[in-house]
Amino acid sequence: MYELFSNLGAWLVSGEQWSGPDGIGHRLAEHLQYSLVATLIAAAIGLPLGLLIGHTGKGAFLAINLASFGRALPTVGLVVLVFLAGGLSMLPVYVALVALAVPAIVTNTYAGMTAVDPDVKDAARGQGMRGHQVLFQVELPLALPLIMTGLRLALIQVVATATIAAYVSFGGLGRYVFDGLAQRDLVQVLGGAVLVAVVAVALDLALSGLQRILFRHRTA
Amino acid sequence: MTIDWSWIGDHTDDLTTLTISHLQAALTAVFLGVLISLPLAVIAHRIRPLRGFLLGLSNVLFTIPSIAIFVLLLPVSGLTRTTTVIGLTIYTLVVLLRNTVEGLDSVPVKVKEAAKAMGTRPLRTLLTVEFPLALPVIMAGVRIATVMSISLVSVATYIGDGGLGQLFTDGFQRNFPTPVIVGVVLTLLLAVVADAALVALQYVLTPWRRRRA
């Protein structure tokens, strides 16, 4: 066990492991790229949907069940399925990651919108604000902390799952996990897993810190 | 992409076996997760300094990719069902622990004080007052953990287990979509059925909530 950990330490800090196209630096950049692109696409789909459902109050059933559906969907199956349908491209990976992230974004956006005090919305309407003004000037700012929590959760999940890109022969930190598996090289698998976990935890801490700074004047 | 219906007809026995094995792995993990998280949640609820530590630790465990957890367990438990179940149990802990702590937190202080004033001992208060009142929030966690486990079992296909997940590797290797589609559909069906069963269980376990609803 000790030997395994010292080998892992050596693997993580060795200069040659960090350089080149198969180096940690390059794999890390790929991993972040997949994760950010997928989360941005998911946000472009999930945010308007969540805002619409929250604002109109229609489709709440959808918003609640979408979360459950997202959790139930087997990511491996989805990647393989889109891969078999669409051939070798990054498309299957992005489809699976976006499908994973959208429910978290929609449900949190919706939760943020429903948490806005109805009296505040009535007051805004009473002052003659139109629907879109109430949405963008009252509801959205008040719902923002929960919306950001949804985006954060989605990104963390996507970072952990982007490992799967390597299964259909792409890059990212998952490369180490799947190559290590194929080569029966436990140190490499362990190294890949540790790196993914570190990236996810670091992003989570950074984003929750950012949230605290942005919303420090809020009571809730 | 077309579905080869005759393949499904020829493999009903295999599909049944895989479905049962899939459900078994997921349910065992949730059951163990509940057994472990209940005492841990009580500790986290009662001892404040440990609360942040326990919840933080389970959060970190959650960010480790599931495939990595399964592989890391190989030196311990090998290519067995045990590895699958341990890996899944670790994942369920995050949801179960957080919801159980939140559930215990949601019990009104006045109710606990009333129990104390009536001379009820702490353990009895926990079992007969706090847990029943926390049950809706705990059950919400159990439902999430169950659905999540059912979906995650398939990842264990990389270590030779995985229940319905074996259909994904099979389809991937042979470039044959039918098993993959069947696997996805059966996984979703299992999740829906298990979730409905838990809703029914909660209805049975909390008779006092029916009158209000």
Side-chain angles (χ1 to χ4, degrees):
Chain A
M1 207 62 168
Y2 171 75
E3 201 194 332
L4 186 65
F5 280 111
S6 68
N7 284 344
L8 174 66
W11 187 87
L12 282 173
V13 295
S14 82
E16 76 191 278
Q17 195 59 59
W18 277 86
S19 57
D22 194 36
I24 295 174
H26 182 233
R27 293 293 181 220
L28 183 66
E30 284 176 334
H31 201 96
L32 287 175
Q33 188 205 328
Y34 302 158
S35 307
L36 290 177
V37 170
T39 310
L40 283 178
I41 298 173
I45 300 168
L47 281 181
L49 203 58
L51 290 177
L52 191 72
I53 294 171
H55 182 65
T56 59
K58 283 176 193 146
F61 182 77
L62 175 81
I64 293 159
N65 284 285
L66 198 60
S68 203
F69 180 76
R71 269 191 293 270
L73 205 59
T75 317
V76 185
L78 196 59
V79 170
V80 172
L81 199 60
V82 184
F83 176 82
L84 292 181
L88 185 67
S89 70
M90 270 301 284
L91 185 70
V93 180
Y94 281 129
V95 169
L97 293 180
V98 170
L100 182 76
V102 166
I105 294 173
V106 173
T107 41
N108 273 280
T109 306
Y110 170 71
M113 293 288 284
T114 49
V116 176
D117 189 347
D119 287 348
V120 175
K121 284 186 271 185
D122 282 347
R125 248 177 241 115
Q127 289 191 318
M129 277 182 149
R130 293 177 178 261
H132 64 92
Q133 288 175 316
V134 177
L135 173 61
F136 289 109
Q137 294 172 22
V138 179
E139 289 178 291
L140 185 61
L142 285 173
L144 210 52
L146 262 176
I147 294 176
M148 281 216 34
T149 302
L151 288 173
R152 200 180 85 215
L153 286 177
L155 181 64
I156 303 308
Q157 266 183 303
V158 166
V159 165
T161 313
T163 320
I164 209 153
Y167 184 61
V168 284
S169 75
F170 287 94
L173 294 169
R175 218 38 288 152
Y176 301 123
V177 176
F178 284 99
D179 287 351
L181 263 179
Q183 299 159 10
R184 301 264 152 204
D185 177 1
L186 197 59
V187 173
Q188 201 183 146
V189 180
L190 201 59
V194 168
L195 287 171
V196 176
V198 167
V199 171
V201 173
L203 277 174
D204 193 30
L205 288 177
L207 289 176
S208 55
L210 182 70
Q211 264 181 301
R212 223 165 291 148
I213 294 169
L214 284 176
F215 306 118
R216 63 178 163 226
H217 54 282
R218 302 275 177 92
T219 45
Chain B
M1 187 155 35
T2 50
I3 299 184
D4 182 354
W5 294 101
S6 66
W7 181 89
I8 301 177
D10 292 343
H11 292 81
T12 42
D13 285 353
D14 294 339
L15 291 175
T16 315
T17 315
L18 287 177
T19 307
I20 291 171
S21 138
H22 193 104
L23 194 63
Q24 216 171 31
L27 293 186
T28 314
V30 173
F31 180 71
L32 289 176
V34 171
L35 278 190
I36 298 170
S37 65
L38 282 183
L40 282 181
V42 173
I43 294 172
H45 174 66
R46 298 268 164 99
I47 309 168
R48 290 279 141 174
L50 280 178
R51 181 200 180 94
F53 171 75
L54 283 171
L55 290 179
L57 183 71
S58 65
N59 266 342
V60 172
L61 286 175
F62 196 62
T63 55
I64 303 175
S66 46
I67 170 70
I69 288 205
F70 289 131
V71 174
L72 295 180
L73 286 166
L74 289 183
V76 185
S77 42
L79 291 167
T80 59
R81 179 35 70 88
T82 317
T83 307
T84 313
V85 171
I86 298 177
L88 291 175
T89 306
I90 292 174
Y91 270 89
T92 62
L93 282 181
V94 182
V95 182
L96 291 173
L97 191 60
R98 172 162 323 125
N99 273 58
T100 311
V101 172
E102 270 174 23
L104 291 173
D105 287 349
S106 74
V107 177
V109 179
K110 279 184 183 166
V111 175
K112 284 188 270 184
E113 280 172 355
K116 200 176 176 183
M118 304 231 309
T120 317
R121 302 213 164 255
L123 183 65
R124 203 185 152 88
T125 309
L126 182 70
L127 294 178
T128 60
V129 177
E130 290 181 78
F131 273 143
L133 286 176
L135 203 63
V137 187
I138 297 177
M139 282 300 284
V142 174
R143 286 175 60 192
I144 295 176
T146 305
V147 170
M148 216 175 61
S149 287
I150 289 176
S151 150
L152 272 177
V153 174
S154 37
V155 177
T157 178
Y158 302 124
I159 55 156
D161 189 4
L164 294 166
Q166 288 175 30
L167 298 171
F168 303 152
T169 22
D170 181 38
F172 182 58
Q173 279 159 2
R174 294 195 288 146
N175 200 3
F176 179 41
T178 303
V180 186
I181 298 170
V182 172
V184 171
V185 171
L186 283 178
T187 309
L188 289 177
L189 266 179
L190 271 186
V192 171
V193 171
D195 196 50
L198 286 172
V199 172
L201 179 69
Q202 187 184 343
Y203 183 80
V204 173
L205 287 179
T206 55
W208 62 89
R209 282 170 66 86
R210 282 174 226 161
R211 262 165 280 142
R212 258 189 291 159

